[in-house]
Amino acid sequence: LGNVHACATTAARTAVCWGYNAQGQLGDNGVATRSSPVAVVGLTDVEQLGAGTNFNCALRGDRTVSCWGLGTSGQLGNGATASARLPVSVFGVSDGVDLGVGGAHACAVRATGQVVCWGYNAYGQLGDGSATARTVPVPILTVGDAVEVASGANHTCARRRDGTVLCWGYNAQGQLGDGTRTNRTAPVAVSGLTEAVELTAGANHTCARRSNGSVVCWGYNLYGQLGDSTLTTRNTPTPVPVLMDAVQVEAGAN
């Protein structure tokens, strides 16, 4: 789900999208809003989809990544800042194993465990130590054992093989989980989190499922999105009290 559009994979491993389309984010080579699904032209062998603010990316079976829609911050990863009504190839990613799409940036985990990111970077959400937008993927040199990546509006988190989690980017609501509200341009450890087996990032909060089926969340909580029976924003992981046998976790904007 994006901000005002949605996409899905089909049994034939193609993709369909529907909703708002002013930036070409439906991938049908037009800009007309659609109230029912239309095929993303030329996109085949889809393994994973991610939707951001008016753009999408797909991880394909050959381990490449394609993106389409709004591209003004480099979020399509093809070396340009132009929008695209049809999928374009992300530069240099040929061994992707996981994909995370944020507000105007995206990241991929490579088979080696390295994370690469591209797009908007004003808050350090690309994790390369800078606040410079990138039109092609840049590596996060301090992460070499990632297995999953999740991107929020302006932050990113990666789950490591040992079940710990690193986060970077915007942190005004504690969504990096390091006990502070300081933005980070490079990864920092989520405080006290071990045995994570799944990650998801909302706009300004993050959740993880642990191996025992429990769920912890951290970050913005004005609407109760952390599930801890309060409306208190949290800088570190907080258990969701009644949820002890989860099999999947997914965060929306709030």
Side-chain angles (χ1 to χ4, degrees):
L1 300 178
N3 56 329
V4 285
H5 75 286
C7 297
T9 56
T10 71
R13 294 169 65 90
T14 62
V16 294
C17 297
W18 59 97
Y20 188 61
N21 195 27
Q23 307 299 331
Q25 60 263 52
L26 302 191
D28 66 343
N29 203 26
V31 292
T33 294
R34 304 285 190 172
S35 58
S36 58
V38 292
V40 178
V41 176
L43 188 66
T44 60
D45 199 20
V46 177
E47 281 204 356
Q48 186 180 0
L49 282 176
T53 301
N54 298 324
F55 83 109
N56 313 285
C57 295
L59 176 64
R60 304 177 68 184
D62 64 359
R63 301 303 167 193
T64 62
V65 177
S66 297
C67 300
W68 64 98
L70 185 66
T72 53
S73 296
Q75 59 265 60
L76 303 187
N78 65 334
T81 55
S83 299
R85 298 178 183 178
L86 297 173
V88 295
S89 295
V90 173
F91 179 80
V93 178
S94 59
D95 59 349
V97 296
D98 195 61
L99 178 67
V101 178
H105 74 290
C107 299
V109 180
R110 302 181 64 190
T112 60
Q114 184 181 68
V115 177
V116 294
C117 298
W118 60 94
Y120 189 59
N121 196 29
Y123 303 100
Q125 57 264 56
L126 303 190
D128 67 340
S130 81
T132 303
R134 309 290 185 177
T135 61
V136 296
V138 291
I140 301 172
L141 299 179
T142 56
V143 182
D145 58 352
V147 292
E148 183 183 16
V149 64
S151 298
N154 290 301
H155 77 288
T156 308
C157 297
R159 177 170 60 89
R160 304 173 72 186
R161 292 192 185 100
D162 64 2
T164 61
V165 175
L166 301 170
C167 295
W168 56 94
Y170 189 57
N171 197 29
Q173 305 296 337
Q175 56 265 58
L176 303 189
D178 68 338
T180 77
R181 297 198 183 180
T182 303
N183 296 344
R184 307 289 187 177
T185 61
V188 291
V190 174
S191 179
L193 180 57
T194 60
E195 300 179 356
V197 294
E198 186 182 13
L199 277 182
T200 185
N204 292 298
H205 73 292
T206 315
C207 295
R209 178 172 60 90
R210 301 181 67 197
S211 58
N212 62 3
S214 64
V215 174
V216 294
C217 297
W218 59 97
Y220 194 46
N221 197 29
L222 181 64
Y223 304 105
Q225 54 263 57
L226 303 189
D228 67 345
S229 299
T230 78
L231 301 179
T232 303
T233 293
R234 308 288 186 177
N235 298 341
T236 56
T238 303
V240 181
V242 300
L243 194 55
M244 302 304 296
D245 58 352
V247 295
Q248 186 177 4
V249 61
E250 181 74 18
N254 289 302

